[in-house]
Amino acid sequence: MTAANWARGFTRAVMLTAAFSIATGDLAMAESPPAKELFGGMRLPSKAAPSPYGSYAKGCISGAVAIPTDGPTWQAMRLSRNRRWGHPAMISLLERFSTDAAALGWGSGILIGDISQPRGGPMLSGHASHQIGLDADIWFTPKPAQPLSPQQREDMPFTSMLDKSKFLTVDKKRWTPTHAQVVVRAASYPQVERVFVNPAIKKKLCDTWTGDRAVLGKIRPIYGHDEHFHIRIKCPEGATGCKPQAAVAAGDGCDKSLAWWFTQEPWAAPKKDPKAKPAPPPRAMGLSDLPRACSTVLNQPAPSDEMEATYRPSGGALAAQASAFAPSQPVDGSPAFNVPAWVPVPPPRPAGF
């Protein structure tokens, strides 16, 4: 057998193996690399109409725009991560919120952490959500009067609001009434669905907030989130490919669902059966685990450069559909996929979270 014939035979065998893998559902073999590598490797968004696909923790976004690295009342942090991309509705909300926060006395504005990757999707590190451009992290550190340099934005440490010498207790030396006002203001906008904070911060708000209590229900306790809070907005109107989360239960959330966090159950290590075989490592999320539209989003052309895809509100207007470029036809977001609503609390948890 000649070398050429051997090479052709080997190539045919590889193709048959891949086809068999797909036909038999062996996606672990047929699908590589993981989705987080595919989406994490994208430096620019797709040049398309802004559309989120899937759920907050299993999806992607076409037509994302970047918030400018610097604004009159905000600065974007950790620029090397390239995670300041989102749906225009999210970006316009951040601009508005930054102005409102500064007016409340929150320094000269807000410091913005991760929003999403240019085309959303799973991240290489740090988050399970933030996949469809509708989540954003805000530091519990106000924007200083003197703008931070790019290097300072990379190196500046987070500041926790907790007293680490006590169990789930807010540090009285760091937490101020302005912190409370800023978090509640973030939850007050009608398009905001949830604001995630540490359980100790939620309890502090429950114990001390004297304003409208109805908005407290949107502020949800969750692991971490003592150094930043997390804003999540609703699926934009007309975004048929976006999978909404279950509505927040009525009330201020200062009930048994909060009390659960102050028991040992949420923090206890899972019990292990000494006779059980070690569980195989979890399979990385693949492209086939995401909505089918995400394959198209990955393959769409990109704008010419980052500036073309940077958010530019017209005259300061906060139009939900404002975009850095003229939108093209949206991706065909087939409703054939079935993605469960995501609630960021591991079971077990109290009903009505």
Side-chain angles (χ1 to χ4, degrees), residues 218-237:
K218 290 184 182 181
I219 303 172
R220 311 304 297 171
I222 189 62
Y223 298 105
H225 293 77
D226 57 306
E227 300 167 336
H228 71 275
F229 57 99
H230 176 155
I231 300 174
R232 170 169 294 171
I233 66 172
K234 300 175 183 178
C235 290
E237 186 176 354

Side-chain angles (χ1 to χ4, degrees), residues 170-302:
V170 168
D171 189 333
K172 295 184 293 185
K173 296 178 181 178
R174 292 177 177 171
W175 184 262
T176 69
T178 306
H179 285 78
Q181 291 172 349
V182 167
V183 173
V184 173
R185 179 60 61 90
S188 71
Y189 305 112
Q191 62 268 53
V192 170
E193 187 174 67
R194 283 166 168 78
V195 173
F196 296 113
V197 297
N198 184 273
I201 294 173
K202 170 70 177 185
K203 186 175 187 302
K204 185 71 171 179
L205 291 170
C206 288
D207 293 344
T208 61
W209 186 252
T210 58
D212 181 9
R213 304 281 296 187
V215 74
L216 292 185
K218 290 184 182 181
I219 303 172
R220 311 304 297 171
I222 189 62
Y223 298 105
H225 293 77
D226 57 306
E227 300 167 336
H228 71 275
F229 57 99
H230 176 155
I231 300 174
R232 170 169 294 171
I233 66 172
K234 300 175 183 178
C235 290
E237 186 176 354
T240 57
C242 182
K243 185 73 173 180
Q245 190 171 347
V248 172
D252 60 11
C254 303
D255 51 18
K256 64 179 182 180
S257 64
L258 175 60
W260 176 77
W261 288 97
F262 292 83
T263 68
Q264 291 301 315
E265 188 176 354
W267 316 98
K271 295 181 179 179
K272 295 183 179 180
D273 182 355
K275 298 181 180 180
K277 294 181 179 179
R283 181 178 68 86
M285 188 182 295
L287 188 57
S288 68
D289 296 313
L290 301 178
R292 290 187 296 181
C294 292
S295 296
T296 305
V297 170
L298 274 177
N299 291 304
Q300 284 178 314

Side-chain angles (χ1 to χ4, degrees), residues 162-176:
L162 300 188
D163 181 344
K164 297 299 181 70
S165 68
K166 301 176 182 178
F167 175 66
L168 284 186
T169 302
V170 168
D171 189 333
K172 295 184 293 185
K173 296 178 181 178
R174 292 177 177 171
W175 184 262
T176 69

